[in-house]
Amino acid sequence: MRLSKSLIPTLKETPAEAQIVSHRLMLRAGMVRQMASGIYAWLPLGQRVLANIARIVREEQDAAGAEEVLMPTIQSADLWRESGRYDAYGKEMLRITDRHERELLYGPTNEEMITAIMRDAVKSYRELPQIPYHIQWKFRDELRPRFGVLRGREFLMKDAYSFDLDRAGAVVSYKKMMLAYMRTFQRLGITAIPMRADTGQIGGDLSHEFHVLAPTGESGVFYDAAFEAGDALAATDIEQFYAQMTGIYAATDEKHDLAAWNNVPPERRREGRGIEVGQIFYFGTKYSQAMDFAVTGPDGRRIHPEMGSYGIGVSRLAGAIIEARHDEAGIIWPDAVAPFRAVILNLRQGDAATDPLCEQLYAALGREALYDDREERAGVKFAEADLLGHPWQIIIGPRGAAQGQVELKRRATGERFELPVAEALVRVRG
Ligand code: 5CA
């Protein structure tokens, strides 16, 4: 995209309403705009980041054997009466009445809907296990929406639901999802710590939360340094992986257990802060019983499938990644989620040497590049490139351009290289 004709409304001033750094940076970089309390429009930069996060989440769900569907945002109240959660959910549920006085709601999660779909479609034990998932907007009428997209009212979630014939199968699905989560977070360029959690509204007896390490995180996190190393991801076997993950200590401040902690060798003890970006639950037959979803077993008897649900806050991750990866100048995008791999900075717009060279680079990089073609001072362009956080800056000044040379800056490290155009392109493409 050409910056001069892009919807990237950056702000010079720090917006007063934004209390935390990711919210400030998302507004200043023109990624999002608030449309109502806790409800955001995603502008091109934000939309690209969201799409990149969703793509990685999707690829890892698919690799784990889950199957993508797309359920609606609007659900019928009757569906939720079947599970008994319609009244229990309380004020956080946005309830809607249509023109025929039918009661609807904007879905805060989809256990009921997916159970109804499966009940209708799946009749035999031979058809299980299955793990349908979707990436869809949710609405929760949070009492205090805050911190921008970290706690919105409308937010994008990946939610998967596992259906197995018995507890042993359900636990295997649970472990597969945990592995998929750890791979997802690693690919997103962040460290996430899994920890045992309460099951809350969702119900059940086994649950983990995943906290991204960021200095500004809401919860204190105590963990074994082994998580940072990510060794468990090298495991070839799901049981080995799970045993390693759950064998090392992690807790949030409200559940910090000094006795498990004392077993961690002192040199491996780490304290940080974390943002919850995902949670997984095993809850057995809670919904399949309540909504009477059963398949016929090998002996002809009815079996209520054992279920789990698995959420990732896709839009929350956009903010969480910024909390984990920024400096005073702005965002530092990991390569995998960056809206653009590179920005092309034309230091003298209208120059006989810089213009054609920039156009050449822009044509070569295509959709991966943002071309800063504005009539602006070099200092303004540099500051904005740092703010927006592109992994690479390709800097083109008149002197270098006359010799076919460009300067390359790596945002994350500040390293600079003087290179011929062709070599710069190789570097940037990685
Ligand atoms: N049904 C289960 C799993 S599919 C569920 O809803 N789990 S959850 O409540 O933990 O939500 C899953 C993830 O959505 C959370 O880990 C969090 O990352 C994200 N999330 C939840 N509430 C919000 C919110 N108000 N704003 C942004 N993201 C949110």
Side-chain angles (χ1 to χ4, degrees):
M1 284 206 282
R2 285 174 200 274
L3 190 46
S4 64
K5 292 176 182 60
S6 293
L7 186 55
I8 305 178
T10 54
L11 301 175
K12 296 222 167 41
E13 306 299 322
T14 299
E17 77 267 26
Q19 300 167 31
I20 59 162
V21 67
S22 60
H23 192 194
R24 284 198 289 274
L25 288 172
M26 287 179 87
L27 291 171
R28 282 190 54 212
M31 287 176 65
V32 293
R33 284 294 182 264
Q34 182 173 296
M35 296 291 104
S37 170
I39 299 176
Y40 290 86
W42 295 73
L43 305 186
L45 281 185
Q47 163 59 15
R48 278 176 172 248
V49 168
L50 209 52
N52 286 338
I53 296 171
R55 175 177 46 77
I56 290 170
V57 168
R58 176 179 287 119
E59 284 172 6
E60 292 300 330
Q61 291 293 297
D62 292 347
E67 195 170 27
E68 188 169 11
V69 299
L70 184 58
M71 292 179 267
T73 54
I74 305 292
Q75 308 188 20
S76 91
D78 286 342
L79 198 54
W80 284 66
R81 291 203 172 93
E82 287 192 47
S83 71
R85 278 209 294 182
Y86 188 64
D87 295 323
Y89 215 94
K91 282 189 181 296
E92 230 170 77
M93 179 183 275
L94 181 65
R95 295 156 207 257
I96 305 163
T97 309
D98 73 9
R99 66 200 298 164
H100 304 294
E101 299 293 319
R102 283 191 207 107
E103 290 170 287
L104 301 170
L105 57 102
Y106 194 127
T109 176
N110 283 58
E111 279 82 2
E112 283 80 356
M113 186 175 279
I114 194 68
T115 304
I117 292 169
M118 294 293 283
R119 181 176 62 191
D120 192 46
V122 177
K123 304 292 178 192
S124 159
Y125 74 95
R126 290 191 192 83
E127 297 168 71
L128 296 183
Q130 290 195 30
I131 312 181
Y133 77 95
H134 72 162
I135 299 176
Q136 177 62 292
W137 294 91
K138 305 289 186 291
F139 195 96
R140 294 183 186 172
D141 203 353
E142 300 276 352
L143 186 60
R144 286 212 300 144
R146 61 203 163 122
F147 306 147
V149 301
L150 289 183
R151 187 171 299 282
R153 292 199 296 165
E154 191 188 41
F155 59 96
L156 190 60
M157 193 204 285
K158 184 286 299 178
D159 38 325
Y161 303 88
S162 64
F163 295 85
D164 282 270
L165 289 170
D166 51 27
R167 186 186 161 99
V171 171
V172 171
S173 294
Y174 186 92
K175 293 171 182 173
K176 277 190 194 164
M177 278 292 136
M178 182 184 267
L179 176 59
Y181 275 39
M182 294 308 287
R183 288 195 172 138
T184 302
F185 298 130
Q186 189 185 49
R187 283 184 63 190
L188 291 172
I190 48 186
T191 306
I193 310 289
M195 55 194 82
R196 289 296 287 255
D198 300 329
T199 51
Q201 283 279 15
I202 311 292
D205 68 358
L206 176 59
S207 179
H208 283 87
E209 283 172 9
F210 296 80
H211 288 253
V212 163
L213 292 177
T216 47
E218 267 194 283
S219 25
V221 178
F222 302 83
Y223 64 97
D224 190 317
F227 283 114
E228 283 175 349
D231 293 342
L233 282 175
T236 46
D237 171 71
I238 192 85
E239 298 300 333
Q240 191 195 0
F241 161 78
Y242 190 74
Q244 280 189 43
M245 289 308 278
T246 49
I248 27 189
Y249 182 87
T252 54
D253 36 13
E254 68 271 23
K255 288 168 227 144
H256 186 34
D257 173 356
L258 270 180
W261 185 241
N262 287 335
N263 291 335
V264 180
E267 70 279 7
R268 291 215 322 249
R269 288 181 201 163
R270 299 282 185 280
E271 292 180 30
R273 303 205 64 80
I275 301 166
E276 184 213 301
V277 290
Q279 187 163 5
I280 59 179
F281 305 83
Y282 160 70
F283 43 73
T285 57
K286 178 177 150 105
Y287 296 91
S288 55
Q289 289 269 9
M291 297 178 66
D292 196 24
F293 166 38
V295 295
T296 311
D299 57 2
R301 270 199 301 212
R302 300 175 81 236
I303 303 169
H304 288 106
E306 297 269 336
M307 292 174 58
S309 73
Y310 312 89
I312 290 186
V314 174
S315 51
R316 176 177 288 186
L317 268 167
I321 293 169
I322 296 174
E323 292 292 333
R325 308 255 318 214
H326 67 271
D327 61 16
E328 301 81 67
I331 303 167
I332 304 173
W333 288 117
D335 289 5
V337 288
F340 295 95
R341 280 193 79 75
V343 64
I344 300 163
L345 302 178
N346 189 343
L347 298 191
R348 194 179 294 163
Q349 205 67 39
D351 182 86
T354 62
D355 282 11
L357 192 54
C358 288
E359 291 293 343
Q360 182 194 333
L361 280 159
Y362 181 50
L365 289 167
R367 194 188 131 81
E368 291 296 310
L370 179 67
Y371 175 18
D372 190 344
D373 61 341
R374 298 169 306 164
E375 311 266 344
E376 279 285 3
R377 285 183 295 113
V380 172
K381 295 193 177 192
F382 289 141
E384 213 168 281
D386 281 350
L387 171 66
L388 269 45
H390 319 286
W392 295 100
Q393 298 172 15
I394 311 176
I395 302 159
I396 291 140
R399 213 165 336 122
Q403 291 145 29
Q405 292 274 116
V406 303
E407 190 183 355
L408 213 54
K409 178 180 159 186
R410 184 77 172 148
R411 174 70 177 87
T413 59
E415 287 169 285
R416 290 167 182 275
F417 315 89
E418 287 265 358
L419 294 170
V421 179
E423 275 179 46
L425 276 174
V426 172
R427 273 293 165 100
V428 167
R429 287 190 174 125

